[in-house]
Amino acid sequence: MADNGDNDSQHRVNEGDYVVLKRGDIYKAVQIQKKKKTVFEKQWFFLDNAVGELYGTTFEVVTGGILQPRKPKCVESSADAKEAGMDNRNILDDGKSQKLTRDDIETLKEQGLKGQEIVQQLIENSTTFRDKTEFAQEKYIKKKKKKYENSVMVLRPSCRVLAMMYHGREPGKICHLRYDTLAQMLTLGNIHAGSKVLVFETCAGLVLGAVMERMGGYGSVVQMYPGGGPVRAGMESFGFPSRFHDTLHEFPICHVNALLAGALDTEAKDIDAGGQEKKVKMEEKRKKLAAAAAVLEGRNADGLVIASRFHPCPVLLGLIKFLAPSRPFVVYSQYKEPLIECYTKLREQGGAVSLRLTDSWIRHYQVLPNRTHPVLLMSGGGGYLLSGTTVAADTPKMGPTRGEEPPPKRLKLTETTEG
Amino acid sequence: MSFVEYSEFIQEGDVAIIFLGHDSMMPVKVQQGAQTQTRYGVIRHSKDLIGQRFGTKVTCSKGGWVYVLHPTPELWTLNLPHRTQILYTTDIANITMMLELKPGSVVCESGTGSGSLSHAILRTIAPTGHLHTVEFHQQRAEKAAEEFREHRVGHLVTVRNQDVCKEGFGVTGVADAVFLDIPSPWEAVKHAKNAMKRQGGRVCSFSPCIEQVQKTVEALANEGFQEISTLEVLLRVHDVRSITLPLPDFGSDQPLETPTDTPVPSNASVLCKTTTPPRDMAGHTGYLTFATKPSV
């Protein structure tokens, strides 16, 4: 297949790119820097050889920590109608079937044997392998391959890959937000190019990055942040082009009340304190604040996404004021009860319809001929979502809102047992 | 108004969603002089809709009121006329993320069906992407094309009336993602591969039956696809309720004056704010199989 180098360049890895390394189900986000040692799954290697290759290429890690692109058609040795047993009734699991010791295997590794070759050695030195059923043999090979394989795939970062990475590696950093729940948030929030979205998150910037990816650099995103400064590590891992950053604003929540009351002063002031450098920095900060305030002031944002360790109720009630009517909002919480409170308060104050408290259930399947079944381990939970749509604020005290709850049942206190 | 861009005010020709309360909604096509009947009375388009803000409360002739909402693909999914079984937002959300759709993506889809997923895809890939959607049923293909035009997204989509298993998607080497929701997806895997960019892409197949999944996974593996993964997602809804639980009366720990008298029961109870599951829930829609076409 003729390689048209010119068209490919946007599909090829460049130095400085943010990429994601993958082996099996393990992911790690790194930045390509030549001559820099990277560690991944207890292996050290250099990423230099990835530069110039297409994204999605699989590499073998060879001695010296060098990456070598793997030939695509890796000969999958179909269990060449070798010997196989019918069932396991005579197989003793005494831990003595493998004749190679741990030291033997280390020696093989040091000799530079490829993962494939080590697996082959293990098979040849197993006394029970040929007694296993074909399925058991396949399962054994798969297990050994997973343990001894040396390959690394270099992927382009995306919400899918990064969400799975964070959930697998550091769920605590993202409030245990599972990737399918994040998927729901982006869709229920109608995040799309050209809109104005407010984000309040303490998920290392993953949610922010996911929102920005779906906006494609069009429209604007205001990151509301608690504390000293916005956290963006997760967002940086997406490797967005610089023009995306032009659409990103930040606003500290400590100024929200002032802004809502019209009391936020973003005018330039003459400050004597500090030297020239400090003045420049403060002026930068003031400009950013003013720009973000200008975006928020109109109270016409198109979407609101909340995913944090803070109690969601006050966050939602505070920030929902910046939304235009007939726009969606989505609130994530690791726990259900805080969202029940949100729901109740919103029902009381009005201004929102279609309120729904949901969580999603996900199950993976192993699909193999005659061996198809759900995977044994399943995620216990992925957090909860409260979603809804804003409507024009009511003239106060409209009376009972059109009930979305049926009236509570009359109490039955005593059994009527007529003696 | 368009399904890919918000606007503030309702105009003639818009599609608006009338919200009647508690999961009850209906779509309306806004037209000068037209009227819409609701259980709360009549809505006069010229007076009540045109020129009003989306999200406002509209009082109907009988005195009742409704809200008028800006259409979104999610609202459309809940209100569109069903010509086939459709995909719902839970599956759509996962498909969108797992196929890595974003502005600029080029997507191939078959079958178009009632356009539920199509609208969601268009919203995500706008303004620079394109959707090539294939539907083998002529009337459904025509109806879909008509709806895309009415919803002001016609420039982002090409509808083709053909059989994807025999003739493919009508384009080659352009797609970042392919989606299949057809009875025999394994017959379209080769066409999916051809439609996709040479440098790789993502594919998804949605099938209600596990036998279909097995055949499709086999076909994907044979065509060299990687990262093949099958999963299912379900949404659980929690209905927020205030419940009152009566407390048991174990009586006084002091001896009663006349033990044979039946004591007066106390009315003590506790109020709890909690959630209950609905009586039924969607237990299965279909299995989602994803895979990556490797770069060659």
Side-chain angles (χ1 to χ4, degrees):
Chain A
M1 205 153 289
D3 235 45
N4 188 347
D6 298 323
N7 289 348
D8 271 343
S9 56
Q10 40 157 329
H11 297 276
R12 291 188 182 273
V13 180
N14 291 308
E15 188 172 7
D17 276 0
Y18 286 90
V19 304
V20 178
L21 305 176
K22 175 185 196 278
R23 175 183 293 166
D25 287 323
I26 313 290
Y27 300 86
K28 184 177 180 175
V30 296
Q31 192 180 16
I32 304 278
Q33 279 166 334
K34 285 195 168 169
K35 301 199 181 65
K36 181 167 178 234
K37 253 189 182 171
T38 308
V39 66
F40 177 56
E41 288 298 278
K42 298 197 189 121
Q43 273 196 308
W44 289 92
F45 48 86
F46 297 95
L47 293 166
D48 301 38
N49 287 359
V51 177
E53 298 291 339
L54 285 171
Y55 273 102
T57 305
T58 306
F59 298 87
E60 291 277 344
V61 182
V62 300
T63 33
I66 313 285
L67 290 180
Q68 225 177 56
R70 196 208 266 176
K71 321 283 171 255
K73 271 304 166 187
C74 210
V75 184
E76 283 300 322
S77 52
S78 55
D80 312 324
K82 283 197 194 83
E83 266 189 282
M86 290 310 297
D87 56 44
N88 66 5
R89 68 182 79 198
N90 293 319
I91 299 181
L92 284 170
D93 186 13
D94 54 11
K96 297 190 192 134
S97 6
Q98 178 56 246
K99 292 306 165 200
L100 291 180
T101 63
R102 209 178 265 180
D103 290 331
D104 290 333
I105 299 172
E106 279 308 309
T107 315
L108 292 178
K109 274 193 191 167
E110 279 158 30
Q111 285 172 355
L113 248 66
K114 291 222 176 83
Q116 185 98 321
E117 294 160 349
I118 295 181
V119 175
Q120 194 55 38
Q121 285 295 310
L122 286 167
I123 292 173
E124 284 168 22
N125 284 283
S126 160
T127 55
T128 50
F129 187 82
R130 64 206 173 100
D131 296 327
K132 290 178 194 273
T133 65
E134 255 185 71
F135 287 174
Q137 287 177 348
E138 261 186 60
K139 191 171 177 180
Y140 179 91
I141 293 171
K142 217 178 226 169
K143 186 174 161 192
K144 296 304 176 192
K145 263 203 177 127
K146 195 169 172 191
K147 189 169 180 186
Y148 293 104
E149 79 172 326
N150 242 347
S151 61
V152 175
M153 195 190 274
V154 176
L155 294 178
R156 201 192 288 279
S158 70
C159 171
R160 167 182 81 97
V161 163
L162 289 168
M164 288 176 122
M165 178 191 86
Y166 270 103
H167 190 257
R169 277 180 105 81
E170 299 175 295
K173 277 198 172 169
I174 56 169
C175 304
H176 293 83
L177 171 65
R178 201 177 54 207
Y179 44 90
D180 60 304
T181 308
L182 177 57
Q184 297 298 315
M185 290 167 73
L186 297 168
T187 293
L188 290 171
N190 193 17
I191 309 298
H192 63 277
S195 47
K196 186 192 294 188
V197 180
L198 305 188
V199 178
F200 179 82
E201 60 113 295
T202 60
C203 296
L206 172 67
V207 174
L208 175 65
V211 167
M212 286 173 72
E213 185 185 73
R214 293 281 271 263
M215 298 195 33
Y218 301 93
S220 53
V221 181
V222 182
Q223 182 184 10
M224 318 287 291
Y225 63 91
V231 177
R232 299 212 168 135
M235 187 273 284
E236 300 288 350
S237 296
F238 279 80
F240 294 128
S242 52
R243 67 183 175 92
F244 277 47
H245 291 79
D246 298 337
T247 63
L248 178 59
H249 300 265
E250 67 242 26
F251 191 86
I253 58 169
C254 58
H255 290 320
V256 164
N257 280 337
L259 185 62
L260 286 171
L264 185 67
D265 183 8
T266 53
E267 291 293 301
K269 277 192 208 43
D270 247 340
I271 302 153
D272 281 326
Q276 188 57 28
E277 225 187 88
K278 194 165 184 201
K279 272 194 176 172
V280 167
K281 272 199 176 157
M282 286 188 72
E283 175 58 16
E284 282 276 323
K285 237 188 157 180
R286 185 204 63 80
K287 273 199 180 137
K288 278 193 176 169
L289 187 69
V295 174
L296 291 169
E297 256 164 3
R299 303 202 195 189
N300 56 4
D302 298 312
L304 173 59
V305 177
I306 296 171
S308 76
R309 63 179 188 275
F310 287 76
H311 196 300
C313 203
V315 179
L316 176 61
L317 294 179
L319 299 182
I320 201 173
K321 296 173 183 153
F322 292 110
L323 277 184
S326 188
R327 298 292 185 268
F329 56 87
V330 181
V331 186
Y332 166 82
S333 172
Q334 190 180 346
Y335 310 102
K336 195 172 42 156
E337 287 72 14
L339 291 179
I340 296 179
E341 222 184 285
C342 276
Y343 180 103
T344 308
K345 290 235 166 82
L346 264 186
R347 284 244 87 57
E348 282 169 21
Q349 90 175 9
V353 296
S354 287
L355 288 176
R356 285 229 297 182
L357 218 191
T358 60
D359 77 298
S360 82
W361 180 98
I362 188 168
R363 192 184 225 180
H364 288 260
Y365 282 75
Q366 164 184 289
V367 179
L368 289 171
N370 293 310
R371 288 159 286 172
T372 300
H373 58 72
V375 165
L376 264 49
L377 203 60
M378 199 172 130
S379 164
Y384 299 85
L385 285 182
L386 176 68
S387 61
T389 305
T390 54
V391 288
D394 251 348
T395 40
K397 290 306 159 216
M398 265 305 299
T401 44
R402 188 158 292 147
E404 298 210 359
E405 275 181 38
K409 279 196 146 97
R410 291 263 315 270
L411 274 184
K412 199 171 177 182
L413 287 166
T414 51
E415 302 292 348
T416 44
T417 44
E418 302 305 307
Chain B
M1 173 244 52
S2 95
F3 275 62
V4 299
E5 205 178 320
Y6 280 121
S7 54
E8 205 181 338
F9 296 100
I10 306 170
Q11 293 174 331
E12 165 149 53
D14 283 357
V15 169
I17 307 289
I18 307 292
F19 181 84
L20 302 151
H22 191 32
D23 277 350
S24 178
M25 295 182 264
M26 55 190 269
V28 294
K29 214 182 299 184
V30 179
Q31 274 164 346
Q32 287 279 7
Q35 288 189 350
T36 300
Q37 285 285 357
T38 75
R39 70 180 90 121
Y40 301 115
V42 174
I43 300 174
R44 276 170 272 270
H45 292 209
S46 306
K47 181 170 82 74
D48 301 320
L49 297 181
I50 300 180
Q52 299 294 333
R53 261 205 183 83
F54 281 106
T56 39
K57 181 183 276 193
V58 169
T59 312
C60 311
S61 60
K62 280 195 216 158
W65 44 262
V66 298
Y67 285 106
V68 187
L69 300 179
H70 194 290
T72 65
E74 289 60 59
L75 288 174
W76 183 246
T77 289
L78 295 171
N79 289 288
L80 62 87
H82 285 216
R83 306 184 277 274
T84 59
Q85 172 61 287
I86 66 169
L87 279 184
Y88 289 91
T89 300
T90 311
D91 287 313
I92 291 175
N94 282 285
I95 292 165
T96 306
M97 185 187 77
M98 299 293 268
L99 286 182
E100 304 187 359
L101 302 186
K102 51 186 185 267
S105 293
V106 176
V107 185
C108 288
E109 168 198 34
S110 185
T112 316
S114 308
S116 175
L117 174 67
S118 314
H119 279 84
I121 294 175
L122 288 165
R123 173 266 314 273
T124 303
I125 64 178
T128 44
H130 201 86
L131 171 65
H132 297 276
T133 187
V134 173
E135 170 58 51
F136 68 179
H137 189 281
Q138 192 185 349
Q139 278 76 21
R140 287 203 291 262
E142 281 166 15
K143 190 74 182 127
E146 190 189 309
E147 269 173 5
F148 294 139
R149 275 190 301 272
E150 270 175 29
H151 299 166
R152 317 238 172 85
V153 291
H155 58 292
L156 293 166
V157 57
T158 305
V159 181
R160 289 182 176 84
N161 176 212
Q162 60 195 47
D163 182 347
V164 70
C165 296
K166 300 209 170 64
E167 303 150 78
F169 292 91
V171 288
T172 50
V174 301
D176 298 296
V178 172
F179 178 78
L180 295 168
D181 180 2
I182 57 178
S184 312
W186 55 92
E187 292 178 7
V189 167
K190 238 201 175 82
H191 291 293
K193 193 178 176 187
N194 290 337
M196 289 163 82
K197 286 188 171 132
R198 194 176 50 77
Q199 294 89 353
R202 296 278 291 164
V203 69
C204 172
S205 173
F206 175 86
S207 293
C209 303
I210 200 72
E211 296 86 354
Q212 294 169 304
V213 172
Q214 289 176 307
K215 288 206 190 109
T216 307
V217 166
E218 196 182 342
L220 288 168
N222 287 340
E223 286 295 329
F225 281 86
Q226 292 170 357
E227 284 189 277
I228 304 174
S229 143
T230 300
L231 53 95
E232 62 174 339
V233 265
L234 293 175
L235 196 72
R236 292 178 31 148
V237 180
H238 303 269
D239 292 332
V240 178
R241 292 273 177 277
S242 278
I243 58 156
T244 316
L245 300 169
L247 294 171
D249 182 3
F250 288 130
S252 162
D253 51 5
Q254 303 300 315
L256 281 173
E257 302 249 311
T258 35
T260 44
D261 275 350
T262 35
V264 178
S266 84
N267 289 2
S269 60
V270 154
L271 192 72
C272 284
K273 200 84 183 168
T274 181
T275 66
T276 59
R279 186 165 168 255
D280 299 303
M281 67 174 261
H284 180 66
T285 51
Y287 301 102
L288 288 165
T289 302
F290 296 97
T292 306
K293 172 182 166 175
S295 45
V296 174

